[in-house]
Amino acid sequence: MSENATDRLAAVEAEIAKACKIARREPEDVSLIAISKTHPAGAIAPLLDAGQRVFGENRVQEAEGKWLQLREETPGVELHLVGQLQSNKADDAVALFDCIHSLDRPSLVKALAKAFDKADKQVPCFVQVNIGDEDQKGGCAIKDLPDLLSQARDADIPLAGLMCVPPFGIEAAPYFALMAKLADDHGLEGRSMGMSGDFETAIMLGATHIRVGTALFGERG
Ligand SMILES: *Cc1c(COP(=O)(O)O)cnc(C)c1O
């Protein structure tokens, strides 16, 4: 991998373009979210300089620590929360983030609806699905998805789509295909799927948002 953030970004963008060409999709229809969790502001600045504006973090406090300042310096940044959200952090998350990828349970639907009211601000949410039905994994069980979606709709949560992190270490394509089907079945546009190791496959299977950390920033410490 290149030492230079501009080169790494260009390489990822070229891979996106290649996958889109094969899939007969437009690169503009795939949003690249640069996952900057664990990386300090100094590592993020080169990507901002290279023109990247969409970023993702997995912890509210860590994101506040870096992005309140970075955002002052660079207008037009779009910030996505891709990690588990505790209900007691809903207000802070709503204040900071432009999109939430980890809506996964009824209690969080309630907490977010309340936070939106309080802040007079709506943040689009992806419902995270535990697509591999794994015990330790975050996300709503597939069998509970219809209920959770109707609760979110009843609470006027703006639904962006579905999000998943497939089981580690095995071929992700079947899980991406399953998630695309679930999104179709429920009339949801957005598909947040694909990370550094598998975003090309995810694009082939309809990803609208890919979440790429390592390929842009290098290994996390
Ligand atoms: C860390 C993380 C990513 C990025 O993973 P890489 O393999 O470093 O690209 C994507 N999605 C979520 C939910 C993450 O926590």
Side-chain angles (χ1 to χ4, degrees):
M1 188 158 55
S2 168
E3 285 295 302
N4 177 310
T6 311
D7 291 349
R8 291 194 299 256
L9 178 60
V12 169
E13 283 173 343
E15 290 295 329
I16 294 170
K18 203 165 107 189
C20 283
K21 192 161 180 227
I22 297 169
R24 295 171 190 275
R25 301 185 58 199
E26 299 300 326
E28 302 82 65
D29 296 338
V30 179
S31 174
L32 169 63
I33 306 172
I35 305 296
S36 49
K37 66 186 185 198
T38 78
H39 298 289
I44 297 170
L47 273 185
L48 287 166
D49 290 344
Q52 177 67 23
R53 289 294 177 271
V54 185
F55 290 84
E57 292 279 348
N58 71 338
R59 286 171 184 210
V60 177
Q61 262 171 325
E62 181 191 338
E64 281 170 344
K66 293 187 276 190
W67 284 101
L68 290 177
Q69 175 81 33
L70 283 169
R71 262 188 166 160
E72 297 244 314
E73 296 158 6
T74 312
V77 166
E78 195 182 303
L79 207 54
H80 293 239
L81 177 64
V82 301
Q84 226 207 350
L85 178 58
Q86 290 170 286
S87 295
N88 63 8
K89 300 253 173 71
D91 287 335
D92 294 337
V94 167
L96 184 66
F97 290 96
D98 302 295
C99 186
I100 293 170
H101 291 240
S102 48
L103 177 53
D104 61 355
R105 59 193 191 277
S107 58
L108 191 54
V109 167
K110 288 208 188 82
L112 283 171
K114 224 165 128 186
F116 291 165
D117 258 0
K118 218 162 121 185
D120 200 13
K121 174 188 175 192
Q122 300 264 99
V123 178
C125 294
F126 286 85
V127 169
Q128 183 175 352
V129 185
N130 183 355
I131 202 75
D133 200 18
E134 295 174 280
D135 285 343
Q136 303 298 326
K137 202 78 151 240
C140 161
I142 292 174
K143 69 170 170 46
D144 298 333
L145 184 61
D147 277 349
L148 185 60
L149 288 173
S150 64
Q151 286 168 33
R153 284 177 168 133
D154 288 348
D156 288 326
I157 306 276
L159 288 177
L162 299 181
M163 178 274 212
C164 74
V165 181
F168 183 75
I170 59 172
E171 173 57 52
Y175 298 99
F176 292 153
L178 175 57
M179 205 191 75
K181 180 180 185 305
L182 290 171
D184 275 345
D185 288 351
H186 291 286
L188 294 164
E189 287 282 319
R191 292 112 210 258
S192 168
M193 58 188 196
M195 320 200 302
S196 291
D198 53 23
F199 67 84
E200 298 94 334
T201 307
I203 290 170
M204 299 287 291
L205 289 163
T208 59
H209 295 70
I210 58 173
R211 310 179 308 265
V212 179
T214 308
L216 291 170
F217 292 98
E219 295 291 339
R220 286 179 288 276

